[in-house]
């Protein structure tokens, strides 16, 4: 019932039904897991964190609790706390997504070599996923391995085109393709593909952020800041943007600092 309410956009009724499920059986960890997922979907990260802590207390050996705690901490920009949760989850049930998430947390902590190792493990488990290969390319690039970065971006681009043969209007894949081209020095194609992606899904938060990255790489700072503002308005984590090396060229722009300060003050 709660899931149905949530799908219908009736969040108050959904949260009430989740709480009623917990009242009926407070020892069933999946109830807390569902409640945490609902809070997370609604952007209430702290409440999601509290619900998922109950999952870990009730079922310490369930991978979902630790993985979700890691995701919540990550979304809040608390990568130091997300790392041990992802690491614990990996000891329970290793998966491609866990390696990828842990690698991304390492990446934002500046632990580039550790990030590369995790991205490599992710790709080993899922070698044909363009997003995982793209993450690995990013890892190589920021770890200073230009040759491996180049070949990995080329592979990610090829896989993205293959995915687009199945669904030419996959906005997420088009956005990733835009980023891959921009990061390999082809800003023209990068800008073209991000426009195509945004035309399909103009309000997608991840695409807005990718547009900011592509424009930054292309040297179009005003457009990058405009897209970044929209991404923040949609709830994109300020901490991730602040620590993203792709946006480093914006650091000398006073408008970038003002934008970060503005939305950091709105946190919570």
């Amino acid at each position: 019932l709660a899931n149905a309410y949530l799908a219908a956009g009736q969040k108050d009724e959904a949260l009430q039904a989740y709480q009623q499920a917990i009242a009926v059986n407070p020892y069933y960890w999946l109830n807390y897991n569902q409640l945490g997922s609902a809070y997370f979907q609604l952007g209430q990260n702290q409440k999601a964190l509290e619900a998922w802590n109950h999952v870990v207390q009730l079922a310490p050996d369930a991978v979902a609790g630790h993985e979700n705690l890691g995701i919540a901490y990550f979304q809040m920009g608390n990568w130091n706390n997300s790392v041990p949760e992802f690491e614990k989850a990996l000891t329970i049930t290793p998966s491609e997504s866990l390696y990828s998430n842990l690698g991304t947390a390492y990446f934002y902590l500046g632990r580039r070599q550790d990030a590369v190792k995790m991205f490599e493990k992710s790709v080993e488990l899922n070698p044909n996923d363009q997003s995982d290969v793209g993450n690995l390319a990013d890892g190589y690039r920021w770890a200073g391995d230009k040759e491996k970065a180049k070949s990995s971006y080329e592979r990610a681009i090829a896989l993205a085109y293959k995915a687009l043969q199945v669904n030419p209007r996959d906005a997420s894949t088009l956005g990733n393709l835009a980023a891959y081209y921009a990061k390999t020095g082809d800003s023209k194609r990068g800008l073209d593909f991000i426009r195509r992606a945004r035309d399909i899904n103009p309000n997608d938060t991840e695409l807005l952020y990718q547009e900011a990255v592509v424009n930054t790489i292309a040297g179009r700072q005003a457009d990058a800041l405009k897209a970044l503002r929209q991404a923040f308005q949609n709830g994109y984590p300020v901490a991730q943007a602040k620590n993203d090396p792709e946006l480093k060229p914006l650091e000398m722009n006073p408008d970038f600092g003002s934008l970060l300060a503005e939305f950091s003050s709105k946190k919570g």
Side-chain angles (χ1 to χ4, degrees):
L1 178 62
N3 290 342
Y5 276 134
L6 193 64
Q10 297 175 251
K11 70 173 186 178
D12 292 337
E13 291 84 352
L15 294 173
Q16 183 178 4
Y18 285 125
Q19 294 286 5
Q20 288 174 329
I22 289 171
V24 170
N25 189 349
Y27 303 104
Y28 186 45
W29 66 267
L30 279 171
N31 286 338
Y32 284 103
N33 198 56
Q34 289 282 76
L35 176 62
S37 296
Y39 278 132
F40 188 77
Q41 184 177 329
L42 296 170
Q44 299 182 41
N45 296 323
Q46 185 59 45
K47 289 185 177 180
L49 200 66
E50 293 168 6
W52 285 331
N53 266 312
H54 280 291
V55 174
V56 171
Q57 291 167 13
L58 291 170
D61 293 328
V63 68
H66 296 287
E67 181 173 14
N68 287 335
L69 275 179
I71 291 170
Y73 281 126
F74 184 96
Q75 191 73 5
M76 297 166 75
N78 191 339
W79 301 296
N80 281 313
N81 281 355
S82 71
V83 165
E85 297 299 339
F86 289 141
E87 289 176 337
K88 175 62 178 178
L90 278 168
T91 66
I92 300 170
T93 307
S95 69
E96 162 266 329
S97 63
L98 276 170
Y99 281 122
S100 181
N101 286 336
L102 179 56
T104 306
Y106 283 149
F107 181 86
Y108 282 110
L109 286 168
R111 297 169 59 177
R112 305 289 193 243
Q113 295 297 337
D114 289 331
V116 166
K117 290 176 184 177
M118 294 302 103
F119 290 146
E120 286 176 337
K121 288 182 177 294
S122 176
V123 170
E124 284 175 13
L125 291 177
N126 197 5
N128 295 317
D129 185 278
Q130 54 86 15
S131 181
D132 287 336
V133 176
N135 285 340
L136 178 57
D138 287 343
Y140 284 139
R141 177 165 166 251
W142 288 106
D145 196 330
K146 294 181 180 179
E147 288 303 314
K148 285 187 177 180
K150 182 176 181 294
S151 63
S152 295
Y153 280 129
E154 289 172 351
R155 182 178 168 194
I157 287 170
L159 289 169
Y161 275 117
K162 188 175 182 179
L164 289 174
Q165 290 177 358
V166 178
N167 180 9
R169 289 182 57 80
D170 185 336
S172 177
T173 299
L174 288 167
N176 287 342
L177 194 54
Y180 303 151
Y181 272 125
K183 291 170 184 178
T184 54
D186 192 342
S187 292
K188 185 176 183 299
R189 283 187 180 178
L191 291 166
D192 177 57
F193 275 104
I194 198 62
R195 277 194 292 266
R196 288 171 57 182
R198 291 287 319 286
D199 284 345
I200 294 169
N201 195 346
N203 297 314
D204 184 89
T205 305
E206 289 295 329
L207 290 177
L208 283 164
Y209 187 75
Q210 283 182 320
E211 183 178 25
V213 169
V214 171
N215 276 298
T216 298
I217 294 172
R220 298 157 55 107
Q221 293 199 1
D223 291 329
L225 290 168
K226 180 181 177 181
L228 195 58
R229 171 175 288 278
Q230 290 179 276
F232 289 158
Q233 288 171 339
N234 280 18
Y236 195 89
V238 176
Q240 290 185 37
K242 187 177 180 179
N243 288 272
D244 190 343
E246 302 293 355
L247 299 183
K248 194 171 182 63
L250 297 178
E251 288 181 356
M252 298 302 293
N253 189 323
D255 291 336
F256 179 61
S258 298
L259 188 63
L260 292 178
E262 176 185 344
F263 282 91
S264 292
S265 68
K266 294 179 181 179
K267 186 177 180 180

